[in-house]
Amino acid sequence: MINIVVFASGSGSNAENIIRYFNYGPSASVDNPIRVAAVFCNRSDAPVIERSRRLEVPVEIFNKSDLESGRVAQMAASYGAQALILAGFLMKIPASLIEAYPQAIINIHPALLPKYGGKGMYGHHVHEAVVAAGEKESGITIHLADNLYDHGRILFQARCEVLPCDTPLDVAAKIHILEMENFPEVIDGYLSKLLG
Ligand code: GAR
């Protein structure tokens, strides 16, 4: 088994999609050892908690000091985690955790990095900035996490068109489709090579 832990802060549509893919879908066969062992969440009212529990995945709730003190790393180790997936996780990962999981922390960002990344650039803020700038395209970036927000080796990007009439909500809907289509498979391909 290759256990992974998914970190999420909000709605959790990506976390749910990843759980369904690895724990329930055709990929959850004997040939694929990757399983979501737990979801870690930093907000006690986040919808991702209910989504995960419904899919019988344990949830751990933690705060900033747990993250920075190393308690979160201990919790991840207690689930046998070999990789961490940041799926809409809005806190900065401390250097100690990055060092504990070399090349094995994967983040998704809802824009074509290096554009529209960095502190404060998450969720709808990203799509609002893309529309305000009159961009003709946007997309998703799946990358390894390092000590900076939305930074690190890019594993995958996919693009979508942004029309002059698109609102930030329209862009969010296009991005959501790209995330659902690609994130689990990119995790699967990358971790199978790294840990398989
Ligand atoms: C996703 O669009 C993800 O790309 C984004 O947050 C959303 C979470 O949605 N992440 C960032 O903006 C990170 N900087 P979800 O909770 O429904 O998966």
Side-chain angles (χ1 to χ4, degrees):
M1 273 301 150
I2 296 173
N3 286 334
I4 62 176
V5 165
V6 176
F7 284 60
S9 300
S11 163
S13 68
N14 280 283
E16 175 165 353
N17 192 39
I18 293 165
I19 293 167
R20 288 190 185 280
Y21 179 96
F22 288 109
N23 295 21
Y24 293 95
S27 303
S29 68
V30 280
D31 301 334
N32 189 333
I34 301 172
R35 294 291 179 273
V36 179
V39 167
F40 285 15
C41 180
N42 62 307
R43 264 187 45 207
S44 58
D45 60 347
V48 68
I49 296 169
E50 184 51 33
R51 282 187 196 255
S52 308
R53 289 191 176 141
R54 242 186 282 132
L55 293 168
E56 298 186 3
V57 171
V59 177
E60 300 287 350
I61 297 165
F62 62 91
N63 59 30
K64 196 167 179 232
S65 74
D66 295 328
L67 188 62
E68 286 166 1
S69 68
R71 209 177 92 73
V72 168
Q74 284 169 6
M75 276 159 40
S78 76
Y79 282 99
Q82 289 179 259
L84 311 180
I85 310 300
L86 312 182
F89 182 64
L90 304 182
M91 293 175 88
K92 194 153 177 252
I93 297 290
S96 55
L97 199 51
I98 304 266
E99 279 155 28
Y101 288 90
Q103 312 298 314
I105 306 181
I106 303 173
N107 183 43
I108 190 162
H109 187 73
L112 295 171
L113 291 175
K115 283 178 143 188
Y116 304 104
K119 196 170 187 325
M121 272 294 171
Y122 60 87
H124 66 98
H125 298 290
V126 177
H127 311 311
E128 280 159 13
V130 164
V131 168
E135 294 284 354
K136 293 191 167 43
E137 64 171 12
S138 190
I140 61 168
T141 303
I142 298 169
H143 66 97
L144 298 181
D146 66 14
N147 290 335
L148 303 171
Y149 275 107
D150 303 321
H151 194 264
R153 177 153 78 85
I154 292 177
L155 304 177
F156 176 88
Q157 289 187 308
R159 317 176 107 78
C160 61
E161 205 181 352
V162 177
L163 302 172
C165 59
D166 278 346
T167 65
L169 272 179
D170 295 326
V171 178
K174 294 178 188 183
I175 296 295
H176 180 74
I177 291 169
L178 291 179
E179 293 188 333
M180 294 299 111
E181 279 175 358
N182 293 292
F183 198 16
E185 280 187 18
V186 173
I187 295 167
D188 195 1
Y190 177 74
L191 291 183
S192 300
K193 275 204 203 113
L194 184 74
L195 304 168

